[in-house]
Amino acid sequence: MSSDLVEVLVPIPLMEKFSYLPPKNNTSPLKQGARVLIPFGRRTLVGVIWSLTKKEAIDKRKYKHIKEVLDETPLLDASSINLAEWSSRYYHYPLGEIISYFFPPSIRKGKEAKFRESKYLELTSKGSFLQAEELARAPSQQKLITLLKEKKEITLKSALAFGISATTVNGLIEKGFINRFSRELSPYKKLENKRIVSPKKLNPEQKKAVNAINNAQGTNINFLLDGITGSGKTEVYLQAIQEVVNQGKQALILIPEIGLAPQAEERFREYFGDRVMSFHSAKNDREKVDAWLGASKGLVDIIIGTRSSVFLPMKDLGIIIVDEEHDLSFKQMDKFRYSARDMALYRAKIQKVPVVLASATPSLETLKNAAEDKYEVLKLSKRATGASLPTFQAVDLRGQELNEGLSKELLDATHSELSKGNQVLIFLNRRGYAPSMICKVCGWISNCERCDALMTVHKNPTKLQCHHCEAQKPYPNKCQSCGSNDFLTYGFGTERIEEFLHNHFPEATTLRIDSDSTRRKDTLNEYFGEIRKGKPMILLGTQLLAKGHHFPDVTLVGIIDADSGLFSADFRGSERVAQLMTQVSGRAGRDKKPGRVILQSYCPDHPQIEEIVTGSYDRFAKKLLEERKSSKIPPFSFQAKIFAESPKSLVSRDFILNILNRTKVEEKVRRNVRIVGPLPSIMEKKSGVYRWELSIFSESRSGLHKFLDIMQSRLYDPKVSKQVRWSIDVDPLSSI
Ligand code: ADP
Ligand code: ZN
Ligand code: ZN
């Protein structure tokens, strides 16, 4: 007799799928993508049906039965299943774990995929024949029956509010006069398309871009929308999305930062009314489930979200936009190390929709793909408001007497802009008061015990904190090594500059914007509201301020430390710095008033600083691409890393060496890869563990994957050491 065996994905870090027998006494059909409850060891887990096989004469004793099928209609559609399978192969990560990314937490844990439900009461047919007078002796019951005759149905809550007790309700239910039932309340029921702003009249470049995207409807074309800061990229995709929405389809917009979500959501709502929704990690489970249902049932047209939104099921996807495509936040840096941008490209391919990568500073990977005609380039070369790009001035700090890290030029310029009623943005990508603390007597320094890093001094509240492992210590009263209390706080962080600016410009408001000052939900938004009022003020902040924001009244951007990151050990360092500097500078002079940028540097003749001051990002990126090409590093080869971490440095190293030496790799596979390492990570010790890494380069993607497949099967071998935590990173972006 033939019998079904069901392969189930289980959310555990193993590569296998597990086989089960259908539930006992099962009558309903089992479908791929439906959730099931399964016995797993001594636990019961929620798994997802992956495949069904007909097998002759299986030994039924070897398998357990599925306990329960949770979904009659599968929650995952064919394209989600395809995306999951592809990413599991591409990132060499277990499918069972990847599947979890497709569901909000409660659905992952087995809860029904439903909107919030409300309980209602209605009359039964028996109840409808009942005359209210018959209940004269039970006035409360009489009241409820009268109400229901009048209104047909009421919520249980309103019945209770009318003073009718639960006992009364239950009494009538028991007698069969009334019925209690539940109904889902969709938060998207009454959404309307109310536009507040009218579409802008596009300039010729914008028009060309919108037309190209519109013409790509229903096909998979990858666009690079390469437009300088403030060139009206957002306006372009707002108008392109209009066409998608007109055709009854949905748009998915990926943004890099939660901090950008409220601003983006507002702009889309002004344009598209209420059928816009955002999705990110700060939402609670209820909100996530609502968004998930709204997207999958097609109740909302536009979804704006951070990285994880790339997994959202959409009823009828029409376009994907990846805003600030160069941003590192699209890459998850632990566990499942996916790039949301690259998954978006694949998703667009399987769903046959256009995808738009937008940036003023595209990544080198993207520029290379564009140069090879894999992407169609839509160029916006002018600022949309007619403003010109800011002018640049490098201030040579050598030999200068500084005021808490600020040069006379920058202070004078700040003063002058404030007195004209303008806003000034001061950028320092370092939070806290000072990045280190030293004992003047014995030279003790505030090392973190768990990392190869110094602890940062914080003043508000006062403490020492490591920014790599978040370890905290009280601010020392005396030196732990010599007992003196004569300390030097060395270097500058945003808190320290804030203190100085407060004293130096007492009449102007200084708003410090970094992840410490905006920890409370909504603070960031309140700050942006304050900035938009346009009063003269100083915005002092980290990269939180650099990305995507439109501050029309900022006329001066001061970069306190343009040298940070110039001498990075990571070959991607220069690319990052150039992107960040260009983005920060792009906040200046975006509206009517012209802007300027002052960069403070100790090496103003460093080619990179020169390039930022005199040239354009495009030109700099071209140079970097040539360098990468001649040394055959990404994007001119493909890279993956294998990381190992453990409490002992040599154990991490030997783990990688062992895997490498004991794994048989055929010569024809070996030939296609270049292996570098194992080497200690740039910060070897972090959070108390020692990290080593093996870099693998290949000139062909498939060559890289073939090698990784072999490594992966070895790494997942149950006999492999449990003392070491390891991971595979395909297309790694950082070594930190
Ligand atoms: P980006 O996304 O490239 O940074 P935005 O779309 O935010 O640029 O546009 C920058 C500013 O220019 C915004 O205030 C926007 O309203 C305005 N803008 C965009 N397109 C036009 C246009 N065609 N005409 C006038 N103003 C425009
Ligand atoms: Zn000391
Ligand atoms: Zn630390």
Side-chain angles (χ1 to χ4, degrees):
M1 198 187 87
S2 81
S3 172
D4 278 330
L5 204 54
V6 188
E7 258 191 326
V8 177
L9 293 180
V10 187
I12 50 163
L14 288 176
M15 292 310 283
E16 304 93 302
K17 303 180 184 85
F18 294 84
S19 294
Y20 288 86
L21 296 167
K24 287 179 190 152
N25 312 321
N26 182 51
T27 49
S28 51
L30 301 167
K31 292 186 187 147
Q32 185 183 37
R35 294 170 306 158
V36 287
L37 286 182
I38 41 156
F40 194 83
R42 269 192 259 156
R43 292 180 293 168
T44 297
L45 295 179
V46 179
V48 172
I49 297 182
W50 204 247
S51 62
L52 303 150
T53 37
K54 285 257 182 248
K55 280 216 171 151
E56 298 299 321
I58 49 169
D59 181 358
K60 286 202 172 182
R61 285 165 307 181
K62 269 175 64 185
Y63 299 98
K64 290 184 183 157
H65 285 274
I66 289 173
K67 279 192 174 166
E68 192 185 335
V69 179
L70 296 176
D71 309 309
E72 259 173 49
T73 322
L75 298 186
L76 292 180
D77 60 10
S79 61
S80 300
I81 285 169
N82 186 339
L83 187 65
E85 278 187 319
W86 173 80
S87 55
S88 173
R89 280 196 309 275
Y90 188 89
Y91 291 106
H92 299 266
Y93 199 73
L95 193 50
E97 299 244 84
I98 290 176
I99 285 301
S100 313
Y101 285 74
F102 285 80
F103 304 115
S106 60
I107 297 188
R108 191 183 306 156
K109 289 187 199 123
K111 242 179 102 176
E112 259 185 294
K114 269 188 178 173
F115 288 116
R116 194 192 299 279
E117 283 184 325
S118 227
K119 290 205 170 62
Y120 283 79
L121 302 174
E122 64 181 359
L123 289 174
T124 57
S125 55
K126 182 175 165 197
S128 64
F129 289 109
L130 187 71
Q131 298 302 320
E133 299 79 65
E134 295 173 44
L135 294 167
R137 274 181 298 149
S140 189
Q141 294 192 353
Q142 190 182 39
K143 191 167 159 192
L144 181 53
I145 294 290
T146 313
L147 263 173
L148 285 174
K149 289 205 161 195
E150 202 179 300
K151 298 196 188 288
K152 299 270 182 288
E153 59 179 43
I154 56 172
T155 61
L156 179 61
K157 216 164 146 198
S158 58
L160 299 177
F162 273 116
I164 295 160
S165 71
T167 328
T168 308
V169 171
N170 292 337
L172 284 172
I173 292 174
E174 268 167 38
K175 289 186 198 153
F177 291 132
I178 67 170
N179 217 347
R180 185 170 39 206
F181 67 97
S182 299
R183 181 183 288 150
E184 276 184 85
L185 298 176
S186 153
Y188 305 113
K189 241 193 191 147
K190 288 193 224 103
L191 300 188
E192 283 175 44
N193 265 326
K194 248 198 272 146
R195 168 165 298 169
I196 311 178
V197 295
S198 44
K200 297 231 163 27
K201 189 168 176 303
L202 301 178
N203 63 36
E205 285 182 327
Q206 285 179 312
K207 206 177 278 167
K208 207 173 142 206
V210 171
N211 285 342
I213 301 169
N214 285 348
N215 289 336
Q217 283 312 309
T219 57
N220 171 232
I221 298 185
N222 303 328
F223 293 100
L224 166 60
L225 182 59
D226 181 0
I228 60 167
T229 52
S231 57
K233 295 183 286 295
T234 313
E235 191 68 29
V236 164
Y237 54 75
L238 280 169
Q239 298 202 17
I241 288 171
Q242 182 65 63
E243 181 62 25
V244 174
V245 172
N246 289 347
Q247 293 186 11
K249 295 190 180 162
Q250 296 166 294
L252 174 64
I253 297 120
L254 300 181
I255 55 170
E257 286 275 335
I258 281 191
L260 291 167
Q263 204 190 347
E265 198 176 336
E266 193 184 314
R267 190 141 174 214
F268 273 85
R269 277 183 194 278
E270 282 174 357
Y271 205 91
F272 291 104
D274 291 336
R275 294 177 61 92
V276 172
M277 191 205 56
S278 68
F279 187 85
H280 51 70
S281 62
K283 302 247 168 198
N284 64 31
D285 184 65
R286 182 71 256 166
E287 292 167 325
K288 282 184 186 163
V289 172
D290 285 350
W292 191 90
L293 288 167
S296 62
K297 291 176 188 284
L299 301 175
V300 291
D301 298 332
I302 292 161
I303 289 168
I304 305 166
T306 45
R307 169 171 87 213
S308 58
S309 319
V310 78
F311 301 102
L312 279 178
M314 309 275 278
K315 179 148 187 268
D316 198 356
L317 183 65
I319 192 169
I320 308 182
I321 315 270
V322 184
D323 194 23
E324 312 288 355
E325 70 83 30
H326 64 278
D327 202 289
L328 282 188
S329 330
F330 286 124
K331 172 98 176 163
Q332 177 146 300
M333 303 286 193
D334 63 351
K335 297 191 181 119
F336 176 27
R337 294 167 181 259
Y338 68 97
S339 151
R341 176 197 62 201
D342 296 342
M343 296 212 30
L345 286 162
Y346 184 78
R347 182 167 179 182
K349 186 170 151 186
I350 53 178
Q351 298 202 254
K352 294 200 182 57
V353 300
V355 58
V356 180
L357 308 183
S359 176
T361 53
S363 63
L364 297 188
E365 277 77 8
T366 295
L367 288 174
K368 177 174 177 273
N369 283 331
E372 290 171 353
D373 291 333
K374 288 184 189 148
Y375 302 164
E376 189 176 325
V377 181
L378 309 169
K379 193 97 183 152
L380 305 182
S381 58
K382 290 187 251 349
R383 281 197 155 170
T385 51
S388 46
L389 275 178
T391 53
F392 286 81
Q393 177 195 354
V395 172
D396 189 346
L397 296 185
R398 284 171 296 191
Q400 271 221 39
E401 195 67 28
L402 300 178
N403 273 306
E404 292 287 86
L406 298 164
S407 61
K408 184 166 179 321
E409 283 93 333
L410 182 52
L411 287 174
D412 288 350
T414 302
H415 182 77
S416 145
E417 292 307 319
L418 289 175
S419 59
K420 283 188 239 160
N422 295 328
Q423 296 179 341
V424 176
L425 189 158
I426 307 265
F427 174 74
L428 177 65
N429 210 10
R430 209 178 295 129
R431 64 193 170 91
Y433 187 80
S436 61
M437 180 176 182
I438 296 166
C439 168
K440 280 192 190 168
V441 177
C442 75
W444 170 89
I445 186 158
S446 57
N447 278 317
C448 173
E449 282 148 27
R450 309 176 67 224
C451 306
D452 294 330
L454 299 175
M455 292 185 102
T456 299
V457 181
H458 282 253
K459 272 222 170 158
N460 188 14
T462 309
K463 63 182 174 189
L464 295 181
Q465 189 186 15
C466 172
H467 288 179
H468 300 279
C469 71
E470 300 305 316
Q472 298 193 7
K473 266 192 197 168
Y475 186 90
N477 295 323
K478 52 184 202 305
C479 173
Q480 66 186 59
S481 139
C482 76
S484 112
N485 64 357
D486 198 3
F487 291 112
L488 179 71
T489 46
Y490 190 74
F492 302 97
T494 45
E495 283 184 5
R496 186 166 190 169
I497 305 289
E498 179 191 24
E499 192 177 277
F500 171 77
L501 290 172
H502 265 310
N503 296 331
H504 198 81
F505 298 105
E507 68 291 347
T509 311
T510 298
L511 271 191
R512 171 166 65 88
I513 300 179
D514 55 30
S515 55
D516 295 317
S517 73
T518 56
R519 198 142 283 174
R520 194 171 55 79
K521 202 181 160 212
D522 295 334
T523 319
L524 192 58
N525 235 2
E526 285 160 23
Y527 281 1
F528 288 144
E530 202 52 41
I531 297 167
R532 250 177 279 148
K533 286 186 192 155
K535 284 207 218 101
M537 62 164 78
I538 304 175
L539 328 174
L540 161 70
T542 56
Q543 56 171 345
L544 266 189
L545 273 183
K547 297 179 179 178
H549 301 292
H550 186 58
F551 303 129
D553 296 293
V554 170
T555 50
L556 170 68
V557 166
I559 297 176
I560 295 187
D561 180 10
D563 303 336
S564 69
L566 276 190
F567 306 103
S568 161
D570 187 342
F571 71 80
R572 288 187 169 84
S574 331
E575 180 188 352
R576 301 277 165 263
V577 178
Q579 284 162 346
L580 191 56
M581 296 291 156
T582 311
Q583 292 286 351
V584 180
S585 308
R587 300 311 113 204
R590 286 169 64 94
D591 216 24
K592 292 168 193 80
K593 300 175 253 185
R596 62 173 161 154
V597 179
I598 294 181
L599 293 103
Q600 301 195 138
S601 169
Y602 281 100
C603 37
D605 33 19
H606 187 287
Q608 177 152 351
I609 304 277
E610 276 189 335
E611 203 61 58
I612 291 169
V613 172
T614 59
S616 63
Y617 174 79
D618 282 4
R619 217 171 58 202
F620 184 61
K622 274 207 185 82
K623 268 195 199 163
L624 284 179
L625 274 172
E626 275 160 29
E627 278 173 33
R628 301 253 190 113
K629 189 173 187 178
S630 58
S631 41
K632 287 195 182 156
I633 47 178
F636 293 92
S637 62
F638 303 102
Q639 186 188 8
K641 279 184 179 181
I642 295 177
F643 293 105
E645 55 181 52
S646 76
K648 288 202 182 107
S649 175
L650 295 185
V651 171
S652 303
R653 183 198 63 184
D654 293 345
F655 175 83
I656 296 183
L657 280 176
N658 268 330
I659 294 282
L660 205 53
N661 294 337
R662 296 205 188 149
T663 310
K664 270 208 197 73
V665 181
E666 291 167 82
E667 180 48 31
K668 68 172 199 269
V669 175
R670 190 68 172 228
R671 234 190 352 244
N672 287 326
V673 295
R674 182 162 59 91
I675 292 171
V676 181
L679 292 170
S681 297
I682 291 179
M683 183 184 290
E684 186 193 348
K685 184 180 171 196
K686 189 179 167 196
S687 304
V689 293
Y690 291 83
R691 306 166 325 142
W692 282 70
E693 55 191 60
L694 186 77
S695 255
I696 304 137
F697 295 92
S698 175
E699 279 169 48
S700 89
R701 272 255 175 249
S702 65
L704 185 69
H705 286 302
K706 278 195 189 114
F707 182 79
L708 287 175
D709 279 338
I710 298 170
M711 287 293 144
Q712 181 184 13
S713 56
R714 173 92 190 131
L715 285 163
Y716 278 100
D717 186 333
K719 289 195 284 295
V720 139
S721 164
K722 297 280 178 289
Q723 288 172 9
V724 177
R725 230 175 60 186
W726 57 266
S727 56
I728 298 176
D729 192 354
V730 178
D731 306 330
L733 283 185
S734 120
S735 340
I736 313 295

